Amino acid sequence: MTQANSKKFRVKNYGCQMNVYDGERMSEMLVDQGMSGASDGEEADLVVLNTCHIREKAAEKVYSDIGRLRKKDGSSPMIAVAGCVAQAEGKEISRRAPSVNIVVGPQAYHRLPELIDTAKSGKKALDTDMPTASKFDVLPTRKKQARPSAFLTVQEGCDKFCTYCVVPYTRGAEISRPWSDLVDEAKALVDGGVKEITLLGQNVNAWTGEDRKGASQGLDGLIRALDKIGGLERIRYTTSHPNDMTDALINAHGEIPKLMPYLHLPVQSGSNSILKAMNRSHSRDSYLDVLRRVREARPDIALSGDFIVGFPGETEADFEDTLSIIRETEYSQAYSFKYSPRPGTPAATMDNQLSREVMDERLQRLQALLNEQQHDFNKQLVGRKTDILLERVGKLEGQFVGKTPWLTSVHIVAPNLSIGDMVSVDIESAGPNSLAGQLSERIAA
Ligand code: 5AD
Ligand code: SF4
């Protein structure tokens, strides 16, 4: 079997940034095993599909992608399904898609090398355990990074049990990674060329730990520790729950220049009765109060959110409440989704599931408003000078794409620049999704 000599691998990520992080860690582990990443267009012997189960569409896409995985000679590469579909569907996956060799959940992917060995012997390999010992203890140390902006998972899992959400079931209970592991990993990333770190967690602002002196710390304390790492220029975190926005974290936004003026704080709905049915455990007013205090601490902060339209029982009046909370907040950008019933969640069996037509129509109205706000946010940056971190090359000759502190993309064309440079630009024009600017100066590293 050609599968016995898996040498090249490819990891395909679906869904959230946690999967991007997990995908990077799996890649680093496979490289440690002597394999190498397949370049674009190159055939892979092992394909890892790092899946997402949050909405039906994301979960179904995996199966159609599996069906298309063929080598040039018509044989199948070794296929590993990782991530949240693996956790939720387990053995069912290889029943539905017999070409799948390995199924590995998000808490077990450090065992991938052993699972590959099992699969090489012709057996199906399955590991969806949620072991108490952490995968982080056995993963190899971080390698030199290709990009200047890196993710760092600090917290995983969720204890909130919003009634629509699979995360508490697929990612398990909330755990916080230890302080010293995180500070060490952040230093390793910076040594490997990283200038911006985004701290990740399903409930990142619920992170708790003890510093090296044994004192209790929250996310603000961890951010303050990372702030001291020379060479690290920008710190972000996502995703937060409104109830875990402590005063200390809010104040950190006003006090730590490296902490970027951007906050992703999902509200999901502007209607109190829907928030209650969602088990969000915050109200419209308590959410707005958090935003008021965040803006007091950091007046220029850009706000982002997540919205679900068409939750069971959502009336036109409930939906209008969501539009009005958006008008009141003025988001710089946001993510919005049609409610998708997920097996095993309480909302999936609630009465009053809405029709697709109602959901489509509401989503269109909501997105029109969010797009308008995003464009307005972009327009008010025109004429301003700001720093951008160059993250990738653009499509045009000599073009680079960088991010502002507010996470907007800026296109610039300038000679002698490199990815990872921090440059000052004058913003000249604003489109709905990005800005264009001129180099005003390079900032000494
Ligand atoms: N249907 C639609 N959207 C969902 N989300 C989570 N679960 C569902 C669901 N069942 C959205 C929420 C969450 C984001 C990551 O995905 O808005 O914040
Ligand atoms: Fe899901 Fe709610 Fe937890 Fe977010 S807070 S991961 S939406 S259960």
Side-chain angles (χ1 to χ4, degrees), residues 54 157-169 171 174 201-203 239-242 244 266 268 278-280 306 308:
I54 199 105
C158 181
D159 297 340
K160 299 274 192 292
F161 289 93
C162 299
T163 52
Y164 51 81
C165 186
V166 286
V167 167
Y169 313 100
R171 290 271 169 172
E174 276 177 23
Q202 262 94 26
N203 257 303
T239 287
S240 298
H241 191 281
D244 294 315
Q268 315 295 357
M278 287 176 163
N279 191 33
R280 286 288 297 173
D306 288 346
I308 297 177

Side-chain angles (χ1 to χ4, degrees), residues 384-387 412 414 423-427 437-443:
R384 289 178 57 183
K385 192 189 282 298
T386 184
D387 299 344
I412 60 164
V423 295
S424 171
V425 294
D426 296 303
I427 304 296
Q438 282 277 356
L439 185 66
S440 70
E441 68 201 78
R442 181 192 295 265
I443 297 161

